[in-house]
Amino acid sequence: MSISLLLLLVAAIGVTGYVGGNRRAQALAGGRLSSLHSRPGYYGSLVAIWALLPAIAVLLVWIVASPVYIGSTIRSGFPEAVQAEPQATQNLNYNMVGAIARGLKLLTPEERATISADAAAARALLSSKGVPLAADPAPYMVEAAQNLDRMTTTSRMIVTVLVLAAALAGAVVAYRSVAPRLRARNRVEGVMLAGLVGASSIAILTTIGIVASMLTEAVHFFSMVPAWEFFFGTVWDPRFAAAGATDSSGQFGLIPLLAGTLYIGFVAMLVAVPVGLFAAIYMAEYASSHFRSVAKPLIEVLAGIPTIVYGFFALASVGPFLRDISAQLNGLATGSYASFIQAQSVLTAGFVMGIMLIPYVSSLSDDIITAVPRALRDGSLGLGATRSETIKRVVLPAALPGIVGALLMTASRAIGETMIVVLAAGVAARMQLNPFEPMTTVTVKIVNQLTGDLEFTSPQTLVAFALGITLFFITLCLNIYALYIVRKYREQYE
Amino acid sequence: MNILSEAAVEKALDKKMNDVSYKMIGQDVSVYYGDKRALYDVNLNVRENTVTALIGPSGCGKSTFLRTLNRMNDTIDGCRVTGRIALDGDDIYDPSIDVVELRARVGMVFQKPNPFPKSIYENVAYGPRIHGLARTRAEMDAIVEKSLQRAGLWNEVKDRLQESGTGLSGGQQQRLCIARAVAVSPEVILMDEPCSALDPIATARVEELIHELRANFTIVIVTHSMQQAARVSQRTAMFHLGQLVEENDTDKIFTNPDDQRTQDYIMGRFG
Ligand SMILES: Nc1ncnc2c1ncn2[C@@H]1O[C@H](COP(=O)(O)OP(=O)(O)O)[C@@H](O)[C@H]1O
Ligand SMILES: [Mg+2]
């Protein structure tokens, strides 16, 4: 029986359980629903939950445990010589066994007999059935495959029986427990609460898992390259990873990348902060509610544009435009039409990133400015202050901590931004101050180091994890600090 | 004989009119919030150096009328005012009137204390700074001190002028807001239920203060407390459903009102 059919059956038991529980509760109440502790639906749900949860738990355990158990049993049946081979080769062998086992299902009994007798015929026969093999199987493989096939079939049968039994038993036990004083609602809500807690802990656990995996790889990297050389090195020159070589031949200085990241982020903020803030002030203080209701969603749509689109925009329009206009300007000034702004430059990347950030700045600041209580504005206006005086002297100072928080959050986006800089900033890891020259960022280098043939043993690849974890901690600190500021600001007006 | 007596009556009336000088005049004042009408042709004058109390059940338009007096309604979307309101004889809704200047002359204290999140000193100095009332630091210090003294707050805060105004107690905050309003030397001070967020002791202090301020300012106060109106005001105006029911000496209103609705409201039969 296939897994999906099994699930369908379990679901059917669950639905039946729901209906049954519901009916029984109503029957017990005998028309006086108020004599029940909970509404009948809750009794139904309780029965359904008892039908589904144990069955699914059994199924999950089987899905995880059975391949492990079967795999180790089959492998232990491999000949001694094979078991002495390296792990990688064994894995290949086992995969081949698996493929043969899958192929066996498609064969007639006579064909199976042929294969058992003559392993060499297996490859041609199986590939004619649409199951390609990488090599001619050894005789022990065919034998193992037949074992595997048998074991799989048995284990499926067992699980089918177990799951159905669990579903039925759960449903029956719960059905019989239905009684007017049974606190069905509390129990159902308890299960729902557990589900919600589970969902949120999945999010948290995933984050922890990601950080942990990055950390282990980064630690691996730092065992090859000293941490101080990475954090304080001023030269980025990782060289190529020579195949199989595990010594650190390149230089992995973080400083030039960090400098590029911060410089481009700074230019971006230079564009985004004034424009975004002024837009927010206009939206919050001056715009009519009609204009606001149109413009605010529009700006938020802008925030939803994938950054790769901004990257195209930088690469195809802004970069060439800046290059050409600089050539014209240079021509007018000196007569030589050499462009002094390169197409890929700090300016291009920073400018386009700034445009990308405008909606973040404006919509975050807008929320914060509108959160300033009306009473403060009235107080100022009532003293004869004009609107702009009120904004300048009362609203903005009151909103300032929150706005700073919003800007920090925006800055952390700028630092983590990848696609725009990959396309528009260039790849030269240099430390310099000319915004018209290309520079590179941490994110660009992560992409570079992880593109192409990967070998997760060389520092050239592993450095990406060290860069990643560094970036993660920088943005984490920025975000925590920003949240702290924003929250403190909120409390002020509760 | 007959003619004589008529002349005498007229003379007496004239004298009475001359005794009273009106600081603000409201003629046929109506206010609309969008399509909804909140005030119906209110005729109410405010006497100089007098405390005028506006009473009436909640939602009857007291705050609305108060806000027309310094055009605070302008800040509300969709609010429209008709009729004539004059300050010292000049129509304050005339296009030639600068609303900034008007609000400097007609200050306002709000229901909930709303000090700015700035120091006590800066709260009081805010208005004078905007209107350029002080040329030197010493002049500003003097204005701040005098205003805080008038608001009866000086002794409590003189040692901590640089601390935040939001750190004061509710009653102190409200007196700070009064000091802030007083600092721009307005002629009229509007107060919208200034004590509704305060405890009885703080309320008593503010009421005392209103008494003292009367010497220098014309005050219009909205209150939901009959006792407060009786204690602090000389004139009382009763509103009901957007209409002015009657306006008279406070003593008269509270002892022998002309209108049954006023009687009922004062006796607590509705509200
Ligand atoms: N900003 C506003 N927008 C719309 N309607 C308002 C607004 N302010 C007050 N109103 C309405 O105007 C009427 C009078 O309100 P208000 O003057 O605040 O009453 P009071 O101060 O006497 O309690 C009420 O019906 C109220 O609902
Ligand atoms: Mg009111």
Side-chain angles (χ1 to χ4, degrees), chain A residues 2-167:
Chain A
S2 74
I3 300 281
S4 40
L5 184 59
L6 183 60
L7 281 178
L8 215 61
L9 270 179
V10 171
I13 294 175
V15 171
T16 321
Y18 177 85
V19 175
N22 202 334
R23 289 250 175 91
R24 183 169 154 98
Q26 276 173 354
L28 286 174
R32 288 196 315 117
L33 284 189
S34 59
S35 68
L36 291 177
H37 173 270
S38 318
R39 275 183 292 124
Y42 281 111
Y43 293 94
S45 303
L46 189 64
V47 176
I49 286 170
W50 272 102
L52 297 180
L53 279 190
I56 288 174
V58 169
L59 193 61
L60 281 181
V61 169
W62 175 76
I63 286 176
V64 174
S66 80
V68 177
Y69 172 73
I70 295 179
S72 67
T73 318
I74 297 291
R75 279 176 202 229
S76 64
F78 283 179
E80 301 274 312
V82 179
Q83 286 197 40
E85 282 177 46
Q87 195 61 42
T89 332
Q90 285 205 41
N91 285 346
L92 283 179
N93 290 341
Y94 185 69
N95 288 347
M96 180 115 80
V97 171
I100 300 172
R102 250 173 290 128
L104 283 178
K105 290 209 188 337
L106 308 171
L107 301 182
T108 59
E110 299 87 66
E111 285 169 332
R112 286 185 184 213
T114 335
I115 290 185
S116 321
D118 178 14
R123 193 177 180 191
L125 188 58
L126 284 175
S127 68
S128 76
K129 299 281 178 189
V131 182
L133 295 181
D136 279 329
Y140 80 87
M141 286 185 184
V142 177
E143 194 185 324
Q146 274 165 341
N147 278 338
L148 180 58
D149 188 33
R150 262 197 304 282
M151 283 182 80
T152 321
T153 317
T154 330
S155 107
R156 281 210 172 198
M157 255 150 56
I158 293 174
V159 79
T160 308
V161 171
L162 279 182
V163 166
L164 288 179

Side-chain angles (χ1 to χ4, degrees), chain B residues 150-170:
Chain B
R150 280 182 152 174
L153 196 59
W154 175 250
N155 286 331
E156 289 159 63
V157 302
K158 63 174 181 241
D159 299 325
R160 44 181 184 141
L161 290 177
Q162 295 314 320
E163 284 174 29
S164 171
T166 50
L168 297 172
S169 75

